[in-house]
Amino acid sequence: MTPEPKTVTSAALDRLPLFATDLQIAIAVVGKQNASRWKREVLPVLEPRGFPRWDPLHQGRPVPLVKQFYALYFGITHGFTLANPGGQEKVWLGKRLERKLEDEERRRAAGEDVVELAPGTNDPKKLRAIAEYRAKKASEFCSRR
């Protein structure tokens, strides 16, 4: 028998219907006294990080996915976390690109001539912009799955 994956359990979340309103979820997550602040300030921050979307057909958010989101958010499940509470997001550039950017910045600071193989290939701003664009597209692709 395989072990069940760990999930976030809260008696308040367990009592919610399959699809709950934002207010119901807010009360279950942070309590009645902080619910309006959570809806106003926290929910817009969580949605881009993978918090379940509002389902117009059912007029609510799927509660099982809310539980799963928090399990990933806090790193309770196996694998990786979606976000580190209070942490900063960092765009992954890859070691080769990071080394190339550091080398180019070091050369420019030292006043050395930089020979470009093709126009714009050694521009650190352009390389960083390309890496950020690729990371954004990859995250969009993963969120669609």
Side-chain angles (χ1 to χ4, degrees):
M1 185 173 173
T2 60
E4 290 261 339
K6 296 178 182 178
T7 59
V8 173
T9 57
S10 166
L13 282 174
D14 292 337
R15 287 191 298 268
L16 292 178
L18 188 59
F19 288 86
T21 65
D22 290 344
L23 182 60
Q24 290 171 320
I25 293 170
I27 291 171
V29 172
V30 295
K32 199 170 191 173
Q33 60 275 41
N34 295 318
S36 63
R37 184 194 63 80
W38 186 87
K39 276 181 53 179
R40 184 179 60 252
E41 297 173 11
V42 177
L43 191 56
V45 173
L46 294 179
E47 281 183 332
R49 295 182 180 183
F51 195 78
R53 300 273 182 229
W54 177 266
D55 185 345
L57 181 64
H58 295 96
Q59 293 296 304
R61 295 180 193 267
V63 174
L65 294 181
V66 171
K67 290 180 188 179
Q68 184 180 12
F69 170 82
Y70 275 110
L72 289 170
Y73 182 82
F74 292 119
I76 295 172
T77 60
H78 302 292
F80 64 93
T81 58
L82 289 177
N84 188 3
Q88 291 182 335
E89 293 184 22
K90 182 181 175 193
V91 176
W92 181 81
L93 300 175
K95 287 184 180 180
R96 190 170 76 194
L97 185 56
E98 282 180 355
R99 271 188 254 130
K100 184 173 183 177
L101 287 171
E102 289 169 3
D103 189 42
E104 293 302 321
E105 288 171 359
R106 183 185 52 76
R107 284 183 183 169
R108 290 181 196 280
E112 295 178 22
D113 288 335
V114 179
V115 179
E116 295 187 33
L117 300 175
T121 57
N122 290 345
D123 183 17
K125 289 181 182 178
K126 190 170 190 175
L127 291 172
R128 193 167 269 122
I130 290 169
E132 289 173 0
Y133 174 79
R134 288 178 180 164
K136 178 183 171 189
K137 287 299 179 183
S139 68
E140 288 174 3
F141 176 75
C142 291
S143 67
R144 281 188 258 148
R145 299 180 109 213

